[in-house]
Amino acid sequence: MEKVSALKDQGNKALSAGNIDEAVRCYTEALALDPSNHVLYSNRSAAYAKKGNYENALQDACQTIKIKPDWGKGYSRKAAALEFLGRLEDAKATYHEGIRQEPNNQQLKEGLQNIEARLAEKTMMNPFAMPNLYQKLENDSRTRELLSDPSYRELLEQLRNKPSELGTKLQDPRVMTTLSVLLGLNLSEMEEEEEPTPPPPPKPKETQPPPPKEEDLPENKKKALEEKELGNAAYKNKDFETALKHYEEAIKHDPTNMTYISNQAAVYFEKGDFEKCRELCNKAIDVGRENREDYRQIAKALARIGNSYFKEEKYKEAVQYFNKSLTEHRTPDVLKKCQQAEKIVKEQEKIAYIDPELALEEKNKGNDAFQKGDYPLAMKHYSEAIKRNPNDAKLFSNRAACYTKLLEFQLALKDCEECIKLEPTFIKGYTRKGAALEAMKDFTKSMDAYQKALELDSNSKEATEGMQRCMISQTTRNDSPEEVKKRAMADPEVQQIMSDPAMRMILEQMQKDPQALSDHLKNPVIAQKIQKLIDVGLIAIR
């Protein structure tokens, strides 16, 4: 039996340290030596639950009860596993069974209170999920006859299992009648009211059962609360050592309440001992889950772990725990902190990825592919080169040339703009911008780009020839109205102008009264927009 005891202790230590597989192994070896030990099954059930293997947790909990049916802990384990599996009614029945065996077990009573609150909340969210659904409908004359229709019963089951479909069924008068019965409303009377009824008071964001009054609490819990208040007072005065002593006393009085352990973690957070803070938070979470603590308390402890990593600038770990916290309960503060940490991580990864030498290798591979006419491959290499060296303007220029060859002119323009932003004197940024605009038949803007290139180098053959082509094309173009409109509406700037209600009104006014144009052109902003529409050929001035 000494070996069994040693394996059990070893398993307990592994479980506390978060080494779940090792804990399961130790408990399993111990059970092979002592298969009638209910405590070992109970502990292994807890380990399986912590691992997320709730089916195995349930099996071990059932075995615990089979071996020792008068032990309350076995029922707590079984109910917890059932709750994790979503079998809330079965979990409730298990708590009742456990209380019958051990009427004074406070853990079972609190578990029952929590599960009843969850069931009540679920019923409020989906009235079709209430246990006595059919009995309630049978007792009301408005729905009694409907129950004889199989299609009605099928509808009820559908809404019981998939409450999200309720919105699509509201047109069915049977659904409205059923809701009025289940929610205790009389819709016909409501329709006859002439005076508007005052709006109901706003519901609280979260519903939970009210905490028991202090005078109703057991003596140990009262003493724990007194110590907690003393600890809180010391904490506010920055007297951390005294606060820790009071919280420790509170834990001795009520070891099943995670709040006191969490408060200790908060003290160590303020002291800057983040390792100890995290250790206590994890311990608090284990105690909380063990005793079916409110999910918001679990979320708070996980968020504190995230904040401790954030303080140490370990942003990846911070994101991990912030997300765990948000899974339990979403709050704006934690969400904002998580997004902030994610942004830092992304930036760090981006910076860590920069390597000019590897960027040059990718650029050369891109150049080879471009020369061979394999533009998709060239684009892939240029994109990788940009990730490796995002401040090299020439890489954006090269990728713009690829996009132009692939007829992705908007993407080419975007890369040209980035190229010019990084290196305003790089002439190819302007000539490639001009080429993309020319391909889009936006000759006015194309000539502007070529003109910028000529200002940098008046002997640029590429810019000069481009300017000449645009001038000829603009004077000889003979596009059909459909082609002009299609090309123009592909331009995001034109899309924005045409979606502006004020501009649409101005254009309609100009059609009815051409003289109004001169008045509108006095406004420089409107004049610029009208000029854009003229340039792309959407409107013509005669």
Side-chain angles (χ1 to χ4, degrees), residues 23 56 58 62 68 78 86 121 124-125 147 174 182 213 276 291 306 410-411 430 436 449 466:
N56 281 353
L58 178 60
C62 291
K68 192 166 177 60
K78 181 180 176 181
E121 187 177 346
M124 286 295 291
M125 289 188 293
L147 288 169
R174 296 177 302 171
L182 297 178
K213 294 178 182 178
K276 185 66 176 176
N291 294 282
Q410 290 294 347
L411 293 173
Y430 297 99

Side-chain angles (χ1 to χ4, degrees), residues 81-96:
L82 287 166
E83 190 172 351
F84 278 123
L85 289 166
R87 294 163 59 182
L88 302 187
E89 288 290 348
D90 290 342
K92 179 182 173 181
T94 301
Y95 279 124
H96 277 299

Side-chain angles (χ1 to χ4, degrees), residues 6 62 82 128 171 233 253 337 364 388 473 516:
C62 291
L82 287 166
F128 293 91
Q171 299 300 321
H253 288 301
K337 209 65 183 285
N364 290 334
R388 293 290 187 181
S473 297

Side-chain angles (χ1 to χ4, degrees), residues 323-371:
N323 278 323
K324 284 184 178 182
S325 174
L326 291 167
T327 302
E328 295 287 339
H329 179 56
R330 290 181 78 80
T331 61
D333 289 343
V334 176
L335 180 60
K336 186 178 178 182
K337 209 65 183 285
C338 184
Q339 290 170 341
Q340 188 181 348
E342 284 174 336
K343 187 177 178 182
I344 294 170
V345 168
K346 194 174 180 181
E347 194 59 34
Q348 286 178 339
E349 288 175 348
K350 189 177 175 182
I351 291 168
Y353 202 69
I354 292 174
D355 187 330
E357 288 186 11
L358 288 176
L360 183 60
E361 287 180 20
E362 291 294 334
K363 178 188 174 185
N364 290 334
K365 289 177 184 177
N367 290 347
D368 290 342
F370 191 91
Q371 292 296 327

Side-chain angles (χ1 to χ4, degrees), residues 240-284:
F240 296 137
E241 294 307 318
T242 302
L244 286 171
K245 287 177 184 175
H246 285 300
Y247 292 142
E248 188 60 40
E249 287 300 313
I251 294 167
K252 288 178 184 175
H253 288 301
D254 186 5
T256 64
N257 193 326
M258 70 173 283
T259 304
Y260 311 134
I261 307 169
S262 190
N263 286 4
Q264 284 185 321
V267 173
Y268 282 105
F269 184 92
E270 290 298 322
K271 290 175 72 174
D273 189 344
F274 300 120
E275 191 65 40
K276 185 66 176 176
C277 168
R278 289 192 285 270
E279 180 189 327
L280 287 167
C281 282
N282 280 316
K283 184 178 178 183

Side-chain angles (χ1 to χ4, degrees), residues 103-283:
N104 297 321
N105 188 308
Q106 192 62 30
Q107 186 179 348
L108 288 170
K109 288 179 180 178
E110 289 176 3
L112 178 60
Q113 189 179 30
N114 286 335
I115 201 74
E116 284 178 339
R118 283 193 66 187
L119 282 165
E121 187 177 346
K122 185 179 177 185
T123 303
M124 286 295 291
M125 289 188 293
N126 181 14
F128 293 91
M130 59 175 60
N132 60 338
L133 172 70
Y134 289 100
Q135 182 183 343
K136 195 162 187 177
L137 296 176
E138 180 69 38
N139 292 338
D140 196 290
S141 58
R142 289 172 289 173
T143 49
R144 190 178 299 122
E145 290 184 10
L146 291 173
L147 288 169
S148 60
D149 182 356
S151 68
Y152 177 64
R153 287 180 174 270
E154 187 179 334
L155 175 66
L156 293 175
E157 288 303 318
Q158 188 178 352
L159 292 172
R160 184 201 288 268
N161 298 321
K162 292 183 180 179
S164 59
E165 293 185 2
L166 178 59
T168 64
K169 306 291 184 185
L170 290 176
Q171 299 300 321
D172 188 331
R174 296 177 302 171
V175 173
M176 295 303 294
T177 304
T178 306
L179 281 173
S180 69
V181 172
L182 297 178
L183 299 176
L185 302 173
N186 192 331
L187 296 180
S188 59
E189 285 181 10
M190 289 171 68
E191 287 169 4
E192 290 169 7
E193 288 179 359
E194 293 180 4
E195 295 294 325
T197 54
K203 292 181 181 179
K205 288 184 180 177
E206 299 289 343
T207 56
Q208 60 174 344
K213 294 178 182 178
E214 190 168 331
E215 58 265 25
D216 299 333
L217 292 172
E219 193 61 31
N220 69 310
K221 288 188 180 286
K222 287 183 185 177
K223 288 180 179 178
L225 282 173
E226 288 171 8
E227 292 292 343
K228 176 195 169 189
E229 293 304 321
L230 292 170
N232 289 352
Y235 177 81
K236 287 175 184 175
N237 292 327
K238 304 289 183 184
D239 185 356
F240 296 137
E241 294 307 318
T242 302
L244 286 171
K245 287 177 184 175
H246 285 300
Y247 292 142
E248 188 60 40
E249 287 300 313
I251 294 167
K252 288 178 184 175
H253 288 301
D254 186 5
T256 64
N257 193 326
M258 70 173 283
T259 304
Y260 311 134
I261 307 169
S262 190
N263 286 4
Q264 284 185 321
V267 173
Y268 282 105
F269 184 92
E270 290 298 322
K271 290 175 72 174
D273 189 344
F274 300 120
E275 191 65 40
K276 185 66 176 176
C277 168
R278 289 192 285 270
E279 180 189 327
L280 287 167
C281 282
N282 280 316
K283 184 178 178 183

